[in-house]
Amino acid sequence: WKVLVSATVVVAADHLLRGLYWPESVFGVAGAAPWRWLEHAGWVLFEDAFLTLNCIYGYRELRQLSQQQVEIERAKELEHQRALNLQRDIMVLLVVVADASEGNLTLRAPVTSGSLGNMSDAFNLLMEALQRLMGQVRTQIEQTNQAIDHIRESSGKMALGAATQAKEVYHATQMVERM
């Protein structure tokens, strides 16, 4: 709109000077009224008013589009950052799962927000349940080994007792035969 001011002044000055010295070139008649240049300047101002309004509306529209573009760029950057964070969290979870698959049941996945955090939490619960189960299996194995040891010891005592009885029966049989 700043250009319009200087252009309006130039057009008004042009019409004034040509109206005084060569009216046919600007008004199309040889004898024009001395104030006719003001009429033309008024029409130019009338056009300037609409051009100024359109410039203001255009400026507002460009400003609004610029703000929308900034918001889109921010949202895009935020989404990109979320994608990077999700990718990093997935990689961490995969490393923990791979290590756990090799037998290390003490590992726990870091719990983050969102659905991946829920997955990590479920994985951790699974690892705790497996760890408890393995503890129960270990306890059962220990109890079974103790029972086996007890049976082995009892079998040994029974075998010793049977051998002693066999000797005693043998001695008794020989005594009966002598009599």
Side-chain angles (χ1 to χ4, degrees), residues 40-110:
H40 281 231
W43 282 111
V44 170
L45 287 173
F46 180 74
E47 291 170 2
D48 286 350
F50 285 100
L51 288 174
T52 301
L53 284 175
N54 282 331
C55 286
I56 291 170
Y57 292 144
Y59 175 77
R60 285 181 186 164
E61 187 175 342
L62 283 175
R63 185 178 180 112
Q64 187 179 31
L65 288 173
S66 297
Q67 288 173 343
Q68 288 174 350
Q69 186 65 30
V70 166
E71 290 173 11
I72 288 170
E73 291 295 325
R74 284 182 186 157
K76 183 179 174 184
E77 180 61 31
L78 181 64
E79 200 55 40
H80 178 70
Q81 193 61 40
R82 284 182 185 161
L84 288 176
N85 290 341
L86 180 62
Q87 186 176 14
R88 184 192 69 235
D89 292 345
I90 288 172
M91 291 305 295
V92 168
L93 181 61
L94 287 176
V95 167
V96 171
V97 168
D99 289 346
S101 71
E102 293 176 5
N104 187 354
L105 301 179
T106 61
L107 292 175
R108 297 296 179 264

Side-chain angles (χ1 to χ4, degrees), residues 94-167:
L94 287 176
V95 167
V96 171
V97 168
D99 289 346
S101 71
E102 293 176 5
N104 187 354
L105 301 179
T106 61
L107 292 175
R108 297 296 179 264
V111 178
T112 58
S113 62
S115 58
L116 189 63
N118 294 340
M119 236 171 92
S120 295
D121 195 32
F123 174 79
N124 291 342
L125 290 174
L126 175 67
M127 288 294 104
E128 289 171 10
L130 283 174
Q131 202 170 12
R132 277 193 308 273
L133 181 63
M134 291 305 291
Q136 291 171 350
V137 168
R138 188 177 306 116
T139 302
Q140 189 63 45
I141 289 172
E142 288 171 1
Q143 290 174 352
T144 302
N145 285 338
Q146 288 173 358
I148 290 171
D149 288 343
H150 182 67
I151 290 171
R152 186 179 302 130
E153 185 180 318
S154 295
S155 296
K157 287 179 183 178
M158 286 174 65
L160 186 61
T164 304
Q165 278 183 350
K167 281 183 190 179

